[in-house]
Amino acid sequence: METKEMEDKKIANVLDAWYHAMANKDMQAFAAMMTDTFVVVEHDTLISGADLVQMLTAEIDELGDAFSFSADLSDHNITVHGDVAWCTHRNFEVFGQRDGTKLELDFIETVVFQKSNGHWLMDRYHATKLREAVICG
């Protein structure tokens, strides 16, 4: 039987791997960590997993080598209940822009996971912006 610490680590690792795949422009790995019913909610917008992959792919294609991304996740609060889990955490993201500037975003997020064939997958992702985006030179 897995301990709470082991399950928590697996869930945190899925989040880290998802953002790592995005930073490395690996949309196949990025999509593989989401259920078929994945939906992200940002403020008043619902985006399906397929649409999210399509949007990011288009942005990566448009920006080419200028695309850069990082996410710093912290303050994980994880609850596991059978084959469902949720994690609330802070996320500080930085997107590189074509003109060399960086767009900084600060969120509090809650992700709902579903265990499928022994693997945790993301099913819902809710992000609330904590402040307006900041553009840095």
Side-chain angles (χ1 to χ4, degrees):
M1 182 126 176
E2 302 218 357
T3 66
K4 177 181 177 1
E5 291 77 20
M6 293 167 70
E7 288 294 338
D8 288 0
K9 184 69 173 161
K10 286 181 180 181
I11 289 164
N13 286 344
V14 171
L15 286 167
D16 289 342
W18 195 60
Y19 280 111
H20 185 75
M22 186 189 316
N24 287 310
K25 307 173 191 173
D26 185 349
M27 292 298 99
Q28 184 175 355
F30 180 80
M33 290 177 248
M34 299 182 283
T35 65
D36 292 339
T37 57
F38 177 88
V39 174
V40 64
V41 181
E42 273 195 34
H43 318 298
D44 61 350
T45 304
L46 297 173
I47 306 167
S48 72
D51 287 346
L52 181 61
V53 170
Q54 184 178 7
M55 289 168 43
L56 285 170
T57 300
E59 184 173 349
I60 289 166
D61 289 347
E62 178 185 334
L63 292 175
D65 290 339
F67 177 85
S68 68
F69 172 81
S70 66
D72 181 19
L73 306 180
S74 63
D75 302 330
H76 295 80
N77 183 336
I78 299 171
T79 300
V80 177
H81 188 70
D83 288 344
V84 175
W86 51 94
C87 174
T88 300
H89 57 271
R90 298 284 305 263
N91 182 4
F92 179 73
E93 296 180 358
V94 179
F95 283 91
Q97 306 295 295
R98 176 171 281 151
D99 64 1
T101 61
K102 296 189 181 303
L103 181 66
E104 295 182 350
L105 300 155
D106 199 9
F107 295 98
I108 189 164
E109 302 172 331
T110 297
V111 183
V112 177
F113 295 84
Q114 179 180 343
K115 193 178 246 186
S116 177
N117 297 318
H119 299 282
W120 288 108
L121 300 175
M122 292 181 288
D123 189 68
R124 294 291 184 275
Y125 204 120
H126 180 264
T128 299
K129 198 171 17 171
L130 296 176
R131 62 181 168 93
E132 289 303 314
V134 174
I135 299 174
C136 301

